[in-house]
Amino acid sequence: MELRQLRYFVTVAEELHFGRAAERLHIAQPAVSQQVRRLERELKVQLLDRSPRRVRLTEAGQRFLPAARGVLIAADQARASVADLAGARAEVFRLGTVTGLGTRLDAILDAFAERLPQVRIELVTLPVRERLAQVADGRLDAAFVRAPAAEDSPGLAYLRAWDDPLVAALPARHPLAAHETVHLTDLASVPLRMTERRNHPALVDLVLMSCRRAGFEPVPAPTAATLQDNLAAIGTATAMWTVIYAANADQVHNPRVAFRPFADGGLSLPIAVALRAGTDSPSSELLRDLLAKEAAR
């Protein structure tokens, strides 16, 4: 049982919504869901009753919540008792994040905790332009970014991390859900439900250009502010589709939605970490080492 698991559970219990909890914690929603499920496996009870539309505490969750809060309060009090001694040595590494990092972000956080325990990682979620601007002016130490364009970011260096594969999300009852993979051309007549381009330009551009290369213009469907809302709409069995990072899909438990890989090579977006050019610190060196190992896989 880890303190972060308790903190994630308490935040979800207070919000009764995984998306809002993730926003409060400044991390990706799948990471919250994953850690809460790990806590449930450790305790061998279900703490939360999940449905596509709402989250509720189970009886076990109601009993566990006061105890979890008590542990977190005790941990904060223990930190405060030595804060004046540790303050001079503590280092904060501010890292901009994106959705869909899944277990890879957990691995990075675990590596920092093991190899640089004096460094506190502060995760920050911002739109991509602001994320890069804050790396450039020093407010962020580093930031994840998808499909980076180095020519648009003078003064920044990019460390290649990995390629994030995308899968199609469509109603579980749709005929295409019976296939192991889907071709883009199979989706030509099915309305495409995407986020607005300003929210994720690299993703929207990739999907639209891929559809055009396949010989069709996608039929537009209404947009939604969050992926959770898009998946809830698709789960109503209305004929629609969207894309989702495979790492995110692995954490979604919605029997009304089917996730299928794309055939013919699939779709993916490269992901990198932006640093100020010339940055040199133990934290940045550790991050370089971790990303080099991921890129070599």
Side-chain angles (χ1 to χ4, degrees), residues 128-143 152-158 274-277 279:
V128 62
R129 292 183 185 278
E130 189 172 350
R131 207 181 313 143
L132 294 176
Q134 291 201 13
V135 175
D137 66 20
R139 285 177 289 170
L140 287 179
D141 296 291
D152 297 334
S153 308
L156 297 184
Y158 289 96
L275 295 164
R276 288 190 306 284
T279 297

Side-chain angles (χ1 to χ4, degrees), residues 1-2 5 37-45:
M1 189 185 305
E2 301 177 11
Q5 293 172 341
R37 287 192 179 279
R38 286 182 180 176
L39 177 61
E40 289 175 323
R41 287 196 295 270
E42 173 76 17
L43 296 172
K44 296 181 174 58
V45 294

Side-chain angles (χ1 to χ4, degrees), residues 82 96 142 178 240 245 270 283:
V82 294
M240 289 184 291
Y245 295 107
S283 295

